Amino acid sequence: MLTPPATLRAVYGLPMNSQQPTAPDLIAAWHEVMLDARTNADDAAAWSLPTACPGWRVGDLIAHLLDIDGFLAGDPRPDHEPDWDSLPHAVGPVSRMTEVGVDARRATPMAEILAEFDSVLERRSAQLAAGPMDLAVMVMGPFGSERPLGRVLTMRTFDAWVHAQDIRAARGLPAQLDSAAALITADQ
């Protein structure tokens, strides 16, 4: 059972009446959960474990996270056209958009994917730290349209937290329910 948001707010010292954490709170939560996903995927035996995400293994989740945050950091999306017939789980425009970055990296060795993940995490973290802290400022969103910074940060934290839990579940590890990212996700 997920811990109620009010309890998580108390655990993290956030005001009980606060509806939205600050930009630094959201950035820190996103960064922490990205590191959790990376840490739990950094194992050759775990890399190819299937996850609850149809068609995706642990390594695919890491490729997905780095692809979306790489795009937000300014990296071009891969110029790749998957063999859609071999990917029956990729249906609909959002699923296909996210599948491109994953499929483009499927043949890439784990060490290279993790190095790319580390690079993206470092660059995106620096970009966010140096950027605006006003949650209402419009910035590029994960799907290529502008959205308020607060929405982009909560979307990225939500996505990273869910996939970090997918990785934990694939490895038989307990869910991470006592984190700021879990609070942000619960608030969604």
Side-chain angles (χ1 to χ4, degrees):
M1 173 183 274
L2 190 62
T3 305
T7 304
L8 290 171
R9 288 189 182 289
V11 168
Y12 285 93
L14 297 171
M16 295 302 279
N17 60 355
S18 171
Q19 294 300 309
Q20 177 74 41
T22 66
D25 293 337
L26 292 170
I27 294 166
W30 163 81
H31 190 266
E32 177 185 11
V33 77
M34 289 286 282
L35 287 175
D36 183 69
R38 195 243 189 259
T39 296
N40 289 314
D42 192 359
D43 179 288
W47 193 254
S48 62
L49 289 173
T51 70
C53 298
W56 284 10
R57 300 189 174 279
V58 167
D60 296 328
L61 293 174
I62 294 297
H64 164 65
L65 292 172
L66 80 84
D67 181 59
I68 299 298
D69 281 298
F71 169 75
L72 293 173
D75 295 349
R77 296 293 316 283
D79 183 19
H80 176 75
E81 183 66 28
D83 173 10
W84 296 115
D85 291 337
S86 70
L87 303 168
H89 60 276
V91 294
V94 172
S95 178
R96 284 185 169 222
M97 192 249 351
T98 58
E99 189 68 39
V100 169
V102 172
D103 191 64
R105 292 172 174 88
R106 280 211 169 94
T108 306
M110 181 182 93
E112 289 180 38
I113 296 293
L114 291 174
E116 185 181 4
F117 185 94
D118 293 344
S119 172
V120 164
L121 183 58
E122 182 179 334
R123 289 181 293 113
R124 182 66 174 147
S125 294
Q127 180 188 54
L128 288 169
M133 293 295 142
D134 178 352
L135 296 174
V137 167
M138 299 299 280
V139 297
M140 181 59 64
F143 302 113
S145 61
E146 287 197 344
R147 297 191 176 270
L149 174 63
R151 182 68 185 132
V152 170
L153 291 173
T154 57
M155 287 171 66
R156 293 309 310 133
T157 301
F158 178 94
D159 188 45
W161 185 84
V162 168
H163 291 314
Q165 304 327 295
D166 292 333
I167 292 167
R168 285 172 165 272
R171 295 198 62 189
L173 300 171
Q176 184 188 44
L177 302 177
D178 61 346
S179 68
L183 166 75
I184 292 160
T185 300
D187 278 350
Q188 295 301 300

